[in-house]
Amino acid sequence: MAELSTKHILGIKYLKKKDIELIFETTERFKEVLNRPIKKVPSLRDVTIANLFFENSTRTRISFELAEKRLSADVVNFSAAASSVKKGETLLDTVNNILSMKVDMLVMRHPAPGAPIFLSRHIDANIINAGDGTHEHPTQALLDAFSMREQVGDLEGKKIAIFGDILHSRVAMSNIFCLNKLGAKVKVCGPPTLIPKHIQHLGVEVSHDLRNTLEWCDIANVLRIQLERQDIKYFPSIREYVLRFGINKKLLDSLNKEVVIMHPGPINRGVELSSDVADSDQSIILQQVENGLATRMAILYLLAGKRGS
Ligand code: NCD
């Protein structure tokens, strides 16, 4: 049987194209399982998974927990706000204590870029990165790419634009790595202050023109402004941002094509997307969430096959 080339999912950077394709094939199988009357399968019986969330999350945390339960794993949840981290314990001590209770896999979200990579050098359990600071959010990129394929088929040569706060977005980073590996053409669009300098070296084009970029792309992946990660002002006001980079129905209807609209959530309605766009037929935002569950089941299932390796 085909297997992943790695025992952790630390970032898209560390995956091969064939790993991504295997995850897509497995996701399709689990999507079918999720549409059955009985949605639970015994694949991960006897596997214990700890979800370690050192940073806020709604979708990703619930999606992982449901994926684990649908696979019959035993699940423990840890949230930093209610833990001994607040009493001064180190990350490695916290994790080693949890692993002593015979936990097989860790799903981890942490504000420090590289935290899951650091842990992977010190522990044996399989680690899935559920977002590390501004670095990577691999499972989001995989569910995004899977959702894009459902819309436009093979992504080779397809035009994908990522809009918004590219500078602070781990979703943007992982999307860029993933789409590059799958042969898509990628353009990022936002105010110059929110686009990292030299990002062209990652193989993407840069634009500051919303309308032109929408005209160019097949799919628009729209991101939130990560105000909580911004210590200085990157643009004059939200009002000005909306005027130049907000996507509304009038703008979409005036284009010569119908662009698919995506967003990883949480949406700031009325900022990057107007409500009538977020809720329109062009938007596949809730399909992304649905695919997220099947994608995470696929990843957990494939990594469970690599336990102890
Ligand atoms: C994203 C995240 O946390 O990185 N959300 C998510 O996982 N669905 C994007 C965001 O917070 O804007």
Side-chain angles (χ1 to χ4, degrees), residues 55 59-60 109 137 140 170-171 224 226 228 264-266:
E55 202 187 75
R59 258 160 303 271
T60 307
R109 171 169 286 196
H137 190 353
Q140 181 70 44
R170 54 194 175 206
V171 176
R224 173 178 74 89
Q226 307 256 327
E228 75 277 23

Side-chain angles (χ1 to χ4, degrees), residues 182-196:
L182 297 173
K185 294 190 179 125
V186 184
K187 196 177 271 195
V188 294
C189 178
T193 49
L194 288 178
I195 295 194

Side-chain angles (χ1 to χ4, degrees), residues 91-102:
L91 173 62
L92 196 52
D93 279 341
T94 304
V95 170
N96 273 330
N97 275 279
I98 294 169
L99 293 179
S100 311
M101 300 179 223
K102 307 279 178 265

Side-chain angles (χ1 to χ4, degrees), residues 55-61 109 130-133 136-137 139-140 143 168-172 223-226 228-229 263-268 272 289 296:
E55 202 187 75
N56 296 346
S57 172
T58 314
R59 258 160 303 271
T60 307
R61 196 173 53 78
R109 171 169 286 196
D132 59 335
E136 279 226 39
H137 190 353
T139 61
Q140 181 70 44
L143 76 89
H168 300 97
S169 175
R170 54 194 175 206
V171 176
L223 306 175
R224 173 178 74 89
I225 298 168
Q226 307 256 327
E228 75 277 23
R229 299 191 202 279
H263 194 303
I267 307 171
N268 285 157
E272 66 272 14
V289 179
R296 292 184 174 111

Side-chain angles (χ1 to χ4, degrees), residues 11 25 29-30 36 71 76 165 211 293:
E25 278 162 37
R29 285 187 8 231
F30 281 117
R36 289 183 198 158
L71 292 165
V76 282
D165 183 356
R211 168 179 284 278
L293 184 52

